[in-house]
Amino acid sequence: MSDTELRNDGRLEDEHQLDADDRLRPEFVDAVLDAVENGDTEEAHRLVEPLHPADIADLFELTPDERRAPLAAAVADLLDGDVFAEMNDYVREQLIDALDARQVADIASELDTDDAVAIIEDMDAEDQREVLRAMEPDDRAAIEEALSYPEESAGRLMQRELIAVPEHWTIGDTIDYLRGHEELTTDFWEVFVVDPAHKPVGTCALSWILRTPRSISMADVMQREQTLIPVDMDQEEVALRFQKYALISAAVVDGSGRLVGMITVDDVVHIIQEEAGEDALLLSGAGEGDINEPVVDSYKARVRWLIANLFTALLASFIISMFETTIERMVALATLMPIVAGVGGNAGTQTLAVTVRALATNQLTQSNTARAIGREIRVALLNGVTVAVVIGVGVSIVFGNPMLGGVIAAAMMTNILVAGLAGVLVPVTLDRFNADPAVASSVFVTMTTDSIGFLAFLGLATASGLVG
Amino acid sequence: MSDTELRNDGRLEDEHQLDADDRLRPEFVDAVLDAVENGDTEEAHRLVEPLHPADIADLFELTPDERRAPLAAAVADLLDGDVFAEMNDYVREQLIDALDARQVADIASELDTDDAVAIIEDMDAEDQREVLRAMEPDDRAAIEEALSYPEESAGRLMQRELIAVPEHWTIGDTIDYLRGHEELTTDFWEVFVVDPAHKPVGTCALSWILRTPRSISMADVMQREQTLIPVDMDQEEVALRFQKYALISAAVVDGSGRLVGMITVDDVVHIIQEEAGEDALLLSGAGEGDINEPVVDSYKARVRWLIANLFTALLASFIISMFETTIERMVALATLMPIVAGVGGNAGTQTLAVTVRALATNQLTQSNTARAIGREIRVALLNGVTVAVVIGVGVSIVFGNPMLGGVIAAAMMTNILVAGLAGVLVPVTLDRFNADPAVASSVFVTMTTDSIGFLAFLGLATASGLVG
């Protein structure tokens, strides 16, 4: 049975929209864009209408910049809040810019606070004011309050729509309340139990409410051990807390402990994915690394690190220049020296990636730092011996010069060991000083492995009397 | 208000267990280990007892290998299934090895199928058989069935415990069923509606059940558009699907479309985090990159890539050797050449990280590959011009040789452009051939930037007549 058939989804009868990996098929995207280009709005609408909001968002991301506005015009009535909430930030900004304040206000009003805030927070101050003016007073107040919290904090991430009930209610009271109030949210997985001061005293999963007789008190069913999120907590910490305690939703409290909002796991999943994925980008100095980012922004983010890398390369260059006489006497050294630096750099990057990951997931703490360093030294010794033997024997044979083989083997061994040490010490030190270990570690580690690589190899070649 | 006070958690009265980042404080870990070492089991037990299972798991991870068994003995009655389910694979394996089959069977019996499978799947075949023999027939059958699915598939990840009701039931029928059957799971967030052949026809979030009058039919409340997971789907695809459609739970179906299990988002969150985080590790060739992995396993994983890197470095080395005469005449070239290769390598890694990320999150598909390549070329041109000007002017002045400055600028420009192209083409090509783009890309890209760096610089130096 094919994957698409399995999707038991009335809206996905056309099995040619998605490939086996849930990506929109290029043929489908082309068909939609061709229809738009040919002015066949009806056909474009017919094709897009059955898509899930997340897939409509993807369609816009896959559409070239200049063709997004015509596409948006063709399927305007399908562009609801859910589509915008699922869309890449850059693509959304571009589309939002093309809409007037009234339209943005309508879209934002459909959404939970957190999604509305995500759309509005990126607009410039003037547009933001205009959109807020066009909204209902209630919605506006909620969004203005959210915007008063720092970016990437729990206050921005939470929704105000939640279910809170007093401790003295029974299960029956809670069910009657939920049945009797049309206006309540349907987007909740747990009910919060609060005291008269609106401070959370317990949490009750919906499955418990459904499995308990009506007469039982909420206080007897709720779980008193709950994980609360301070409203100013950074979203990365929120994500780690959700993950560690396997939370589905959590109450957000203000400075005085009062319940002010709720965060649900589906909002956190994106953050977990982003935060975990950004290590590779940060380590390479690629900034946000979003393929929808404007070219100039990518350039600005990346060139800084290339220039930093250039300056650290100058140090290596200076070290080589100290051995110019040695190289002149034996030019084979110039041929071989990048091997020592390169493999050392790779070994450093390996240790760095492991350490940064362990720090990000709270697996590496002060309690086991010494052990982690010892572990990396042992791995480096094994790697160093292996690579040193291979290159040492190879060079001895190819150049017919065992002394040269010995020198390169010793230099390689030294550099891989230094790489292992730098790969763990640099990020751990940055972390100790509350700097993001993924951000600048690479530059320091590469500088170290390049410099030590050239210094050890050329220095040993000189000191050993290899070069007459 | 401090973070710890906010945790409103009866079990966490001692505010000295966790630091602000939810990590166990080193002083606390030391206090527990000292108590164990001094034979004060009572004190160790008193300290560990209030911890959340996830924190007890962390405690074992933070404890040195040789001290884990005594700690386990001291707090044996606190080591329930939840603690093992939260524990790092390597640490768990080590502890499980120390237990007999009866004890492992007891622990596994407490857990949902997915967590029990996670504990049992890593044991060797003989131990596995022994544990399964010691289990109740029902539990054994469920686990044996799960083990029949491929590793890292939906079948391993799902739990069999779920709530499925027939379409003709009312909300009231469902609530009565849930209240009347003690033995049902409490760990569910949605109810699945199935037809007589046990094929899912709809899903109903618990909040809808609670908000709807008893007399209404399930068929009228359930959502018919549901995302089904084939039992043999790879866990990475499962994770992407959960993320894309913001799922809390999803039905797992077998080849004939029958409901066989359920996956909940809390099981997927770990996978999202692991899959997103592994890019940095794979790109560097660090394998699984787990700090709890035995040293020999880390060595085996990493040394392969170092040796691969060594062989690609030989190609660069060979290219340099073709220009030995040039270098002999102007040894400054040997000093400067690593700069061109190094900065080019960094530029390639940046593009590579961005591309691998975009492929992993399904943002880069066939529809926008050409655009992504065009984008990277433009970023590379901007980066290339900037870095080339800086190094060109610098070298012209320092060496008093504008010709040398021109040569290094042109070589740098070329290499950064090639780096951008290789950084996007290599992973896209690997992905097109269904290979993991994060795994081998780095080796190819580094080989390219090293080779082109030396070739362009030394070649231009020779061809331009710079060297007399």
Side-chain angles (χ1 to χ4, degrees):
Chain A
M1 179 180 326
S2 95
D3 197 51
T4 345
E5 286 172 82
L6 269 175
R7 298 218 41 213
N8 185 20
D9 180 338
R11 298 190 300 188
L12 286 175
E13 277 154 15
D14 180 350
E15 59 176 47
H16 296 302
Q17 296 161 339
L18 298 178
D19 67 13
D21 290 343
D22 281 347
R23 299 177 297 203
L24 290 172
R25 285 160 44 89
E27 296 80 5
F28 174 80
V29 176
D30 289 345
V32 174
L33 294 182
D34 286 350
V36 173
E37 186 147 326
N38 299 333
D40 191 350
T41 308
E42 211 168 305
E43 169 70 0
H45 198 278
R46 191 189 68 78
L47 287 166
V48 176
E49 204 269 325
L51 292 180
H52 185 282
D55 288 310
I56 301 183
D58 280 357
L59 175 64
F60 276 89
E61 293 173 27
L62 293 175
T63 301
D65 291 31
E66 67 283 1
R67 302 177 76 173
R68 282 177 194 151
L71 173 61
V75 299
D77 63 312
L78 301 174
L79 292 180
D80 59 9
D82 288 335
V83 173
F84 282 98
E86 292 286 341
M87 207 177 277
N88 175 280
D89 289 359
Y90 295 103
V91 178
R92 182 172 59 211
E93 243 178 278
Q94 194 200 25
L95 275 186
I96 293 281
D97 279 351
L99 300 175
D100 64 35
R102 178 77 263 155
Q103 291 169 301
V104 179
D106 286 346
I107 290 168
S109 301
E110 289 173 35
L111 296 170
D112 283 336
T113 351
D114 55 328
D115 290 326
V117 166
I119 290 182
I120 293 175
E121 67 183 354
D122 292 331
M123 309 184 80
D124 59 45
E126 175 135 0
D127 293 346
Q128 219 174 67
R129 266 197 302 276
E130 229 179 298
V131 170
L132 287 170
R133 260 201 303 269
M135 295 183 81
E136 297 293 317
D138 277 8
D139 291 339
R140 180 168 66 219
I143 289 176
E144 280 175 339
E145 199 204 318
L147 290 173
S148 72
Y149 296 112
E151 276 188 53
E152 311 212 324
S153 70
R156 294 276 180 114
L157 207 58
M158 72 188 184
Q159 59 187 69
R160 263 148 207 75
E161 300 81 7
L162 54 80
I163 308 295
V165 304
E167 211 172 342
H168 62 80
W169 276 18
T170 62
I171 294 285
D173 293 337
T174 303
I175 294 181
D176 292 342
Y177 167 69
L178 289 171
R179 287 201 186 129
H181 291 75
E182 266 298 306
E183 77 286 1
L184 295 176
T185 179
T186 51
D187 179 19
F188 64 101
W189 308 97
E190 290 173 309
V191 166
F192 300 109
V193 182
V194 292
D195 68 11
H198 215 65
K199 293 185 182 172
V201 291
T203 307
C204 195
L206 300 191
S207 63
W208 303 339
I209 297 181
L210 281 167
R211 301 209 44 195
T212 307
R214 289 181 64 92
S215 59
I216 307 289
S217 156
M218 287 297 286
D220 292 337
V221 185
M222 70 185 190
Q223 190 182 23
R224 284 173 196 279
E225 292 143 8
Q226 48 177 349
T227 304
L228 302 177
I229 308 283
V231 73
D232 56 357
M233 183 179 244
D234 184 81
Q235 64 174 21
E236 186 169 359
E237 290 305 320
V238 174
L240 279 173
R241 197 168 272 193
F242 261 77
Q243 203 182 331
K244 178 168 181 180
Y245 299 114
L247 306 177
I248 297 293
S249 64
V252 180
V253 291
D254 66 13
S256 54
R258 273 194 304 268
L259 179 67
V260 292
M262 166 177 82
I263 296 178
T264 53
V265 68
D266 52 309
D267 299 317
V268 172
V269 159
H270 288 272
I271 295 165
I272 291 174
Q273 203 262 356
E274 272 168 35
E275 300 280 350
E278 74 180 13
D279 282 355
L281 298 164
L282 293 176
L283 281 171
S284 72
E288 298 206 358
D290 189 314
I291 58 164
N292 295 296
E293 192 181 38
V295 168
V296 175
D297 291 356
S298 297
Y299 160 67
K300 283 183 197 157
R302 296 194 209 170
V303 79
R304 291 187 299 140
W305 291 107
L306 294 180
I307 298 286
N309 191 249
L310 180 62
F311 280 97
T312 59
L314 290 178
L315 177 65
S317 203
F318 172 73
I319 288 171
I320 300 172
S321 73
M322 300 192 303
F323 296 97
E324 283 194 351
T325 340
T326 309
I327 292 173
E328 266 171 352
R329 290 203 199 140
M330 189 177 193
V331 77
L333 296 178
T335 310
L336 294 172
M337 66 185 185
I339 301 178
V340 182
V343 177
N346 192 176
T349 309
Q350 289 180 339
T351 307
L352 191 53
V354 172
T355 309
V356 164
R357 199 78 214 100
L359 287 168
T361 52
N362 280 348
Q363 286 200 289
L364 183 56
T365 77
Q366 230 175 304
S367 299
N368 57 351
T369 299
R371 195 146 29 102
I373 295 171
R375 191 178 167 282
E376 287 306 322
I377 292 177
R378 278 179 292 158
V379 177
L381 282 170
L382 291 172
N383 279 334
V385 168
T386 310
V387 178
V389 166
V390 173
I391 187 74
V393 170
V395 165
S396 302
I397 294 171
V398 171
F399 288 79
N401 186 339
M403 182 80 152
L404 182 59
V407 164
I408 198 168
M412 188 65 95
M413 179 77 228
T414 309
N415 205 21
I416 289 179
L417 198 55
V418 168
L421 272 173
V424 58
L425 289 178
V426 170
V428 162
T429 308
L430 285 170
D431 184 64
R432 203 54 61 84
F433 288 103
N434 287 317
D436 185 339
V439 171
S441 290
S442 254
V443 168
F444 289 116
V445 172
T446 310
M447 181 176 77
T448 309
T449 53
D450 272 2
S451 306
I452 299 294
F454 296 126
L455 184 64
F457 181 55
L458 298 174
L460 282 172
T462 310
S464 66
L466 171 70
V467 184
Chain B
M1 180 180 322
S2 96
D3 197 53
T4 344
E5 285 172 81
L6 270 175
R7 300 218 35 214
N8 185 20
D9 178 339
R11 297 189 299 189
L12 286 175
E13 278 155 15
D14 180 348
E15 58 177 48
H16 297 302
Q17 296 161 340
L18 299 177
D19 67 14
D21 290 342
D22 282 345
R23 300 177 296 205
L24 289 173
R25 286 160 45 91
E27 296 80 4
F28 175 80
V29 176
D30 290 345
V32 174
L33 294 182
D34 286 351
V36 173
E37 184 147 330
N38 299 333
D40 190 349
T41 308
E42 210 168 307
E43 169 69 0
H45 197 278
R46 191 189 68 77
L47 287 167
V48 176
E49 204 269 324
L51 293 181
H52 186 283
D55 288 311
I56 299 183
D58 281 357
L59 175 64
F60 277 89
E61 293 173 28
L62 293 175
T63 300
D65 292 29
E66 67 284 2
R67 301 176 75 173
R68 282 178 193 150
L71 173 61
V75 299
D77 63 314
L78 302 175
L79 293 182
D80 58 11
D82 288 334
V83 172
F84 282 98
E86 293 286 342
M87 208 176 278
N88 175 280
D89 289 359
Y90 295 103
V91 178
R92 183 173 58 212
E93 242 178 280
Q94 193 199 28
L95 276 185
I96 292 281
D97 279 351
L99 299 176
D100 64 36
R102 180 75 262 156
Q103 290 169 301
V104 179
D106 286 346
I107 291 168
S109 301
E110 288 173 36
L111 297 170
D112 283 336
T113 352
D114 56 328
D115 290 327
V117 167
I119 290 182
I120 293 174
E121 67 184 352
D122 292 332
M123 308 182 81
D124 58 45
E126 174 136 2
D127 292 346
Q128 222 174 63
R129 267 197 301 277
E130 226 178 301
V131 170
L132 287 170
R133 260 202 301 272
M135 294 182 83
E136 298 292 316
D138 276 8
D139 291 339
R140 181 168 64 217
I143 289 175
E144 279 175 339
E145 198 204 318
L147 289 173
S148 72
Y149 296 112
E151 276 189 53
E152 310 213 326
S153 70
R156 294 276 179 116
L157 207 59
M158 72 189 185
Q159 59 187 70
R160 263 147 206 74
E161 300 80 5
L162 54 80
I163 309 294
V165 303
E167 214 173 339
H168 61 82
W169 277 18
T170 61
I171 294 284
D173 293 336
T174 304
I175 294 181
D176 292 342
Y177 167 69
L178 289 171
R179 286 201 186 129
H181 291 75
E182 266 299 306
E183 76 287 1
L184 294 177
T185 178
T186 51
D187 180 19
F188 64 101
W189 308 96
E190 291 173 309
V191 166
F192 300 109
V193 182
V194 290
D195 69 11
H198 215 65
K199 293 184 183 174
V201 291
T203 306
C204 195
L206 300 192
S207 63
W208 303 338
I209 296 181
L210 281 167
R211 300 209 45 197
T212 307
R214 287 181 66 92
S215 58
I216 306 290
S217 155
M218 289 297 288
D220 292 338
V221 185
M222 71 185 189
Q223 190 183 21
R224 285 176 195 277
E225 292 142 7
Q226 49 176 349
T227 304
L228 302 177
I229 308 283
V231 73
D232 56 356
M233 182 179 245
D234 184 82
Q235 63 173 23
E236 186 167 2
E237 291 305 320
V238 175
L240 280 172
R241 197 167 270 195
F242 262 77
Q243 203 180 333
K244 178 168 181 180
Y245 299 114
L247 305 177
I248 297 292
S249 65
V252 180
V253 291
D254 66 14
S256 54
R258 271 194 307 268
L259 179 66
V260 293
M262 167 178 80
I263 296 178
T264 53
V265 67
D266 53 307
D267 299 316
V268 172
V269 159
H270 288 273
I271 295 165
I272 292 174
Q273 203 261 358
E274 272 168 34
E275 300 281 349
E278 75 181 11
D279 282 355
L281 298 165
L282 293 176
L283 281 170
S284 72
E288 298 207 359
D290 188 314
I291 58 165
N292 294 297
E293 192 181 37
V295 167
V296 175
D297 291 355
S298 296
Y299 160 67
K300 283 184 196 155
R302 296 193 207 171
V303 80
R304 291 188 297 141
W305 292 106
L306 294 180
I307 298 286
N309 191 249
L310 181 62
F311 281 97
T312 60
L314 290 178
L315 176 64
S317 204
F318 171 73
I319 288 171
I320 301 172
S321 73
M322 299 192 303
F323 296 96
E324 282 194 352
T325 340
T326 309
I327 293 173
E328 266 171 352
R329 291 203 200 139
M330 188 176 194
V331 77
L333 296 178
T335 311
L336 293 171
M337 66 186 189
I339 300 178
V340 182
V343 177
N346 192 176
T349 309
Q350 289 180 339
T351 308
L352 190 53
V354 172
T355 309
V356 165
R357 200 79 213 97
L359 287 169
T361 53
N362 280 348
Q363 287 200 286
L364 183 55
T365 76
Q366 230 175 303
S367 298
N368 58 351
T369 299
R371 195 146 31 102
I373 296 171
R375 192 178 167 282
E376 287 305 322
I377 292 177
R378 280 179 293 158
V379 177
L381 283 171
L382 290 172
N383 280 334
V385 168
T386 310
V387 178
V389 166
V390 173
I391 187 74
V393 170
V395 165
S396 301
I397 294 170
V398 171
F399 287 80
N401 186 340
M403 181 78 151
L404 182 59
V407 164
I408 198 168
M412 187 64 95
M413 179 77 228
T414 309
N415 204 22
I416 289 179
L417 199 55
V418 168
L421 273 173
V424 58
L425 289 179
V426 169
V428 163
T429 308
L430 286 170
D431 184 63
R432 202 56 58 85
F433 288 102
N434 285 320
D436 184 339
V439 170
S441 290
S442 253
V443 168
F444 289 116
V445 172
T446 309
M447 181 176 75
T448 309
T449 53
D450 272 3
S451 307
I452 298 294
F454 295 128
L455 185 64
F457 182 55
L458 297 174
L460 283 173
T462 309
S464 68
L466 172 70
V467 184

